[in-house]
C-alpha cells in the first residue's frame, strides 16, 4: 500500500526570488547563467520587470517577464535572468527543489569544468563568511559564468554547447544516486499515491478521504545568495 504523499502537489518545491540588480560587464543586471540536467523549472512573476535569456540547441531566445507571466523550461535549457526593474519571482522547481539542491551547472569556461573539485572551488559560497564576502563570491562566480555563457552563445556550430553538456553530465554523475532517491521520495511517490487513490475510488473505497490534513510553512531562510538572486527558501526535502 502506498502511503499518502505529504509534500507539495506533484513533488514540486517553491522559493521566492529577488533577482540580482548587479550590473555585469555587458551592462545588463541579473543572475548567473546555468543549466539543470533532470529538472524543469517555472517562473511565476510577482513584481517588477525583466526577461530570461535562454540558450538551447535550437538557439538563443529572450522571453520578457512582467507580473502575471508564467514561463517555464525543460532540462538542458541554459538560462540567465535579467533584472530591468525590481524583478521578483516565485520559482516552482521539479523534484522537491532539486534545482537548488544540486541539479545545476553554471556555464563556467571549460577549464573550470574538468572535475567536481575544480568546479566547486569556483562556485562555492562560504556560508560562514560575512555577508559582504558572500556577495563578493556570488558576483565573481556570476561574472565567470557569463564569460562562458557568452562564448557558448556566440559560438559557431553545435560542438561547444554539446561539449558543455558532456562536461556538465560528468560533473553531476557522482550525485545521481542521491538525486534518484530524492525523486523516489518525491515526484514518484506523489504519482504513485494518486494512482492508488484512483484505484480505491474505482473500487468504492473512500478511506483516504478521512485522513485529509492541512499544512502550512513559512520560509526557513531569507535572503540567501542564490544563482539568480536573493532567495527566501523553504525547508524542502
Amino acid at each position: 500500500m502506498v502511503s499518502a504523499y505529504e509534500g507539495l502537489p506533484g513533488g514540486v518545491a517553491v522559493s521566492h526570488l529577488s533577482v540580482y540588480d548587479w550590473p555585469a560587464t555587458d551592462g545588463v543586471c541579473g543572475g548567473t547563467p546555468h543549466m539543470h540536467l533532470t529538472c524543469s523549472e517555472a517562473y511565476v512573476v510577482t513584481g517588477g520587470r525583466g526577461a530570461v535569456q535562454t540558450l538551447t540547441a535550437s538557439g538563443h531566445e529572450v522571453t520578457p517577464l512582467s507580473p502575471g507571466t508564467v514561463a517555464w523550461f525543460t532540462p538542458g535549457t541554459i538560462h540567465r535572468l535579467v533584472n530591468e526593474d525590481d524583478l521578483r519571482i516565485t520559482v516552482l522547481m521539479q523534484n522537491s527543489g532539486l534545482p537548488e539542491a544540486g541539479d545545476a551547472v553554471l556555464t563556467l569556461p571549460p577549464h573550470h569544468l574538468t572535475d567536481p573539485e575544480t568546479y566547486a572551488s569556483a562556485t562555492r559560497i562560504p556560508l560562514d563568511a560575512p555577508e559582504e564576502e558572500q556577495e563578493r563570491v556570488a558576483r565573481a562566480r556570476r561574472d565567470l559564468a557569463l564569460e562562458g555563457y557568452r562564448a557558448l552563445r556566440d559560438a559557431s556550430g553545435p560542438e561547444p554547447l554539446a561539449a558543455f553538456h558532456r562536461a556538465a553530465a560528468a560533473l553531476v554523475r557522482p550525485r545521481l544516486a542521491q538525486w534518484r532517491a530524492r525523486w523516489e521520495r518525491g515526484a514518484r511517490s506523489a504519482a504513485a499515491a494518486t494512482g492508488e487513490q484512483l484505484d480505491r475510488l474505482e473500487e468504492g473505497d473512500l478511506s483516504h478521504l478521512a485522513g485529509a490534513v492541512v499544512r502550512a510553512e513559512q520560509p526557513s531562510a531569507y535572503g540567501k545568495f542564490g544563482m539568480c538572486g536573493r532567495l527566501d527558501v523553504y525547508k524542502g526535502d
Side-chain angles (χ1 to χ4, degrees), residues 5 10 29 34 48 66 79 86 94 100 115 128 137 153 181 183 195 198 203 205 212 218 237:
Y5 182 72
C29 298
H34 62 281
S66 59
H79 47 290
D86 191 26
Q94 198 176 12
E100 288 177 4
D115 62 84
D128 56 349
V137 174
R153 183 193 62 193
W183 164 70
L198 290 169
E203 297 168 359
D205 178 358
Q218 294 295 320
D237 195 309

Side-chain angles (χ1 to χ4, degrees), residues 94-146:
Q94 198 176 12
N95 297 319
S96 306
L98 184 56
E100 288 177 4
D103 181 13
V105 176
L106 278 57
T107 55
L108 305 185
H111 61 279
H112 292 283
L113 305 173
T114 55
D115 62 84
E117 186 51 41
T118 299
Y119 176 82
S121 68
T123 59
R124 186 185 296 115
I125 294 179
L127 299 181
D128 56 349
E131 182 168 306
E132 294 79 5
E133 175 63 10
Q134 293 186 42
E135 178 177 331
R136 185 196 67 79
V137 174
R139 292 185 72 151
R141 74 174 186 179
R142 189 277 307 267
D143 293 341
L144 188 62
L146 281 171

